[in-house]
Amino acid sequence: MPKSEGAMDNGSFGRVVRVEDTVRRPMYPWSPTVHRLLLHLETVGFTQAPRFLGVDEEGREVLSFIDGESGGAGWRQVASIDGLRAMISLLEDYQQAVRGFHLHGPTAWSAGVVDLDGSQVICHGDFGPWNVVWRDGQAVGLLDWDHARPGDALDDVGYAAQYLVPLRSDEDCVSLFGYDEPPDRRTRLRVLSDGFTTTPDAVLRRAVEMQLGTIALVESLADRGLEPQATWVREGLLDDLAGRLAWAQTNGDSFV
């Protein structure tokens, strides 16, 4: 959940530091749920997620470090069709790996406590270029699981579509996203939808729904006093998000 595409923020709620071959991150009420998810992914052989290694003496979660380029570097990687397909493959691999992960009863997530019955799919929740680790043009890691949550398998696809189509102006695509020229959004949307055996229209509808969900989540986290969302809201992020949503609603149909 980046503050803005230009900032290339990694979406983390607090200070994240690397210590040798580990990454230390703050703990939150939903962290134990995320740790269970990461342990499951390790068990089933999903190598693209960091490993949960425990909690250090300062109360921070300890994760394995995945070497490669991430953050701002991810935007140029996905500007090509090959990069887009690499993102699709990564999400397909995750969705396959998470199928056997089931929780029951009230469970804490960043979006709140959800009463699970074991049938829900667990989404990554922040599947964007800034959270992917790249090596030699390959998507080798998926970071920042703080926003994992129960949902529909198409939720991560719709969320990613905002940044992979992308649903932004030509100016933003060139100045912020690493495109040499305005992208062929129609083709990119078709490649994305074909990758998940759905339709461009369905992906666009879900993308708008996910934008609305992001606005609601940012408001909720800010209202709870959590950072960086509280600061982002004070700095006008909700207006930015509303503008992006309006652009997608106005222009999205032209890409179908």
Side-chain angles (χ1 to χ4, degrees):
M1 181 188 296
K3 174 184 176 183
S4 71
E5 287 74 11
M8 305 301 181
D9 195 288
N10 68 5
S12 300
F13 288 8
R15 187 165 182 261
V16 179
V17 297
R18 179 181 175 184
V19 179
E20 298 180 344
D21 290 330
T22 69
V23 175
R24 312 297 173 99
R25 307 176 80 252
M27 292 271 286
Y28 296 93
W30 53 85
S31 295
T33 307
V34 174
H35 298 161
R36 293 172 68 180
L37 172 60
L38 293 177
L39 289 169
H40 166 82
L41 295 175
E42 180 180 7
T43 298
V44 300
F46 182 74
T47 61
Q48 297 97 321
R51 300 289 173 252
F52 172 60
L53 303 176
V55 178
D56 70 9
E57 63 279 359
E58 297 184 25
R60 301 173 298 184
E61 65 180 15
V62 183
L63 306 174
S64 62
F65 174 75
I66 302 176
D67 190 30
E69 293 185 315
S70 61
W75 296 95
R76 181 162 288 279
Q77 292 283 355
V78 301
S80 70
I81 291 295
D82 285 344
L84 170 60
R85 290 196 170 105
M87 286 279 288
I88 291 170
S89 179
L90 176 61
L91 183 53
E92 289 175 329
D93 288 347
Y94 168 66
Q95 291 183 341
Q96 177 66 33
V98 81
R99 284 179 182 174
F101 181 68
H102 299 294
L103 297 173
H104 295 80
T107 308
W109 307 91
S110 66
V113 175
V114 180
D115 192 8
L116 302 178
D117 62 13
S119 65
Q120 294 90 343
V121 174
I122 304 304
C123 301
H124 176 268
D126 200 13
F127 191 76
W130 60 93
N131 278 331
V132 174
V133 181
W134 298 85
R135 285 200 302 267
D136 300 323
Q138 300 299 310
V140 298
L142 182 56
L143 308 177
D144 203 352
W145 295 79
D146 269 320
H147 294 295
R149 59 169 184 78
D152 183 87
L154 195 57
D155 287 355
D156 275 336
V157 181
Y159 182 91
Q162 303 172 59
Y163 310 102
L164 299 181
V165 172
L167 300 179
R168 296 293 186 272
S169 69
D170 288 348
E171 180 182 359
D172 282 352
C173 290
V174 174
S175 64
L176 300 178
F177 293 172
Y179 290 86
D180 294 326
E181 58 185 16
D184 180 353
R185 296 179 185 82
R186 184 184 298 270
T187 295
R188 294 177 66 87
L189 178 59
R190 175 64 65 181
V191 170
L192 182 60
S193 61
D194 286 351
F196 294 94
T197 320
T198 187
T199 65
D201 186 60
V203 172
L204 277 176
R205 288 199 307 271
R206 190 58 55 91
V208 168
E209 292 171 4
M210 298 310 297
Q211 286 178 292
L212 289 166
T214 295
I215 291 171
L217 178 58
V218 169
E219 287 182 311
S220 172
L221 293 172
D223 287 344
R224 290 154 62 186
L226 291 173
E227 293 292 354
Q229 282 75 20
T231 297
W232 290 354
V233 168
R234 288 195 300 271
E235 293 176 347
L237 176 61
L238 292 177
D239 289 338
D240 292 343
L241 295 177
R244 298 171 200 171
L245 171 63
W247 194 96
Q249 291 173 320
T250 300
N251 297 278
D253 287 345
S254 64
F255 310 138
V256 176

